[in-house]
């Protein structure tokens, strides 16, 4: 069985005081939740602080981005060994906002995935189509290519270390969630592509999260879909009570 994962992507929100206040309020709310993975990905300057705050808590901490080189003259970048050295466990890779505003491509996503796996971190690989691509019936082609190019060179032995997040771009921050049927259809397709590229048995073990306007009102129905294993949550992960409800989906 695939273990559920509820991950918060805080994007470029919260100052240090707000990060501390979140941790203080959130820790007691989830201290007995051990049957699913809870993850927060804050801005990189708060990763260490949050890891320390969550030390006795089931919640884990990840990065929102990472560079593919281990070290070097790359001003402003953060490497996988750096993340590993402070105890981070996951790194979001290829978020649509990074693809749109920071020129990330399937090729750069691929380099980043291979780099984090080499250092024992788990990538959360984001894929998803734009509204224009969906309306012109290209969604499945785009998603198929994102998987094929993004996972090039990945050995089957490391496949289980990755998490995929399907985030339709038209659903991010818009209040428009993909219907559970649309999300399920795409998640099933992603598993089919993975089965074709690797092996069906492995494809069944990979966790595929849904992201895009996930809220307390829609988490239960999304999680009831057979191929949805969790959620990557933006706005609704910024508030402790709201995110608690999502973590405690029924
Ligand atoms: P929202 O939940 O704010 O739509 O953001 C989704 C997202 O981009 C998570 O990575």
């Amino acid at each position: 069985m695939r273990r559920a994962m509820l991950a918060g992507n805080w994007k470029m929100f919260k100052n240090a005081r707000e990060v501390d206040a979140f941790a203080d309020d959130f820790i007691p709310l989830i201290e007995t939740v051990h049957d699913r993975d809870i993850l927060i990905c804050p801005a990189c300057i708060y990763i260490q602080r949050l890891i320390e705050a969550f030390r006795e808590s089931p919640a884990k901490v990840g990065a929102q981005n990472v560079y593919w080189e281990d070290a070097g003259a790359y001003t402003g970048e953060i490497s996988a060994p750096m993340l590993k050295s402070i105890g981070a466990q996951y790194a979001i890779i290829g978020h649509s906002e990074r693809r749109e505003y920071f020129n990330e491509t399937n090729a750069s996503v691929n380099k980043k995935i291979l780099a984090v796996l080499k250092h024992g971190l788990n990538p959360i690989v984001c894929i998803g189509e734009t509204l224009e691509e969906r309306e012109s019936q290209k969604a499945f082609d785009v998603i198929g290519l994102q998987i094929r190019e993004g996972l090039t060179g990945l050995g089957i032995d490391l496949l289980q270390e990755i998490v995929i997040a399907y985030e339709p771009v038209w659903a991010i921050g818009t209040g428009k969630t993909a219907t559970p049927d649309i999300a399920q259809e795409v998640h099933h397709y992603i598993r089919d592509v993975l089965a074709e590229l690797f092996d069906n048995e492995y494809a069944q073990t990979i966790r595929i999260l849904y992201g895009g306007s996930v809220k307390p009102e829609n988490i239960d129905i999304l999680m009831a879909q057979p191929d949805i294993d969790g959620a990557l949550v933006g706005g609704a992960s910024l508030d402790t009570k709201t995110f608690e409800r999502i973590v405690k989906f029924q």
Side-chain angles (χ1 to χ4, degrees), residues 7-11 13 92 95-97 126 165 167-169 171-176 210-215 231-238:
N9 171 11
W10 280 358
K11 309 192 180 185
F13 289 103
I92 298 174
H95 191 280
S96 64
E97 286 149 16
C126 298
E167 299 206 307
V169 179
I172 296 178
T174 57
K176 283 189 209 157
Y210 168 78
S213 298
V214 172
K215 303 182 210 61
L232 183 55
V233 186
S237 71
L238 294 167

Side-chain angles (χ1 to χ4, degrees), residues 54-228:
F54 287 162
R55 200 182 300 274
E56 306 289 320
S57 151
K60 300 185 175 86
V61 186
Q64 296 176 13
N65 182 32
V66 61
Y67 192 55
W68 60 76
E69 295 288 351
D70 287 357
Y74 302 103
T75 302
E77 293 297 322
I78 290 164
S79 73
M82 289 175 181
L83 289 172
K84 186 77 186 173
S85 73
I86 59 166
Q89 211 170 320
Y90 291 88
I92 298 174
I93 294 179
H95 191 280
S96 64
E97 286 149 16
R98 296 216 53 90
R99 293 178 190 256
E100 184 179 354
Y101 306 127
F102 302 99
N103 305 316
E104 296 233 3
T105 61
N106 292 341
S108 63
V109 166
N110 178 245
K111 288 195 211 176
K112 292 180 175 194
I113 293 170
L114 297 177
V116 305
L117 288 169
K118 187 174 101 187
H119 292 285
L121 293 167
N122 302 98
I124 301 177
V125 183
C126 298
I127 57 176
E129 80 286 2
T130 63
L131 183 60
E132 194 192 343
E133 288 160 347
R134 175 153 287 270
E135 286 178 343
S136 54
Q137 323 297 329
K138 290 195 193 122
F140 291 95
D141 290 346
V142 168
I143 292 162
L145 197 65
Q146 286 171 335
I147 300 171
R148 280 173 226 282
E149 293 186 349
L151 303 188
T152 299
L154 180 72
I156 196 163
D157 52 319
L158 288 175
L159 192 61
Q160 278 164 306
E161 305 301 321
I162 74 167
V163 176
I164 291 187
Y166 169 56
E167 299 206 307
V169 179
W170 46 272
I172 296 178
T174 57
K176 283 189 209 157
T177 326
T179 63
D181 288 349
I182 292 179
Q184 166 56 28
E185 184 185 28
V186 175
H187 282 225
H188 190 81
Y189 172 75
I190 293 168
R191 242 182 259 292
D192 283 349
V193 175
L194 292 170
E196 188 196 312
L197 278 179
F198 297 94
D199 165 288
N200 187 44
E201 208 177 308
Y202 277 87
Q204 299 307 322
T205 64
I206 299 245
R207 291 189 289 183
I208 308 176
L209 315 182
Y210 168 78
S213 298
V214 172
K215 303 182 210 61
E217 298 76 47
N218 56 30
I219 185 67
D220 298 339
I221 179 85
L222 286 164
M223 291 305 291
Q225 308 307 308
D227 286 296
I228 299 184

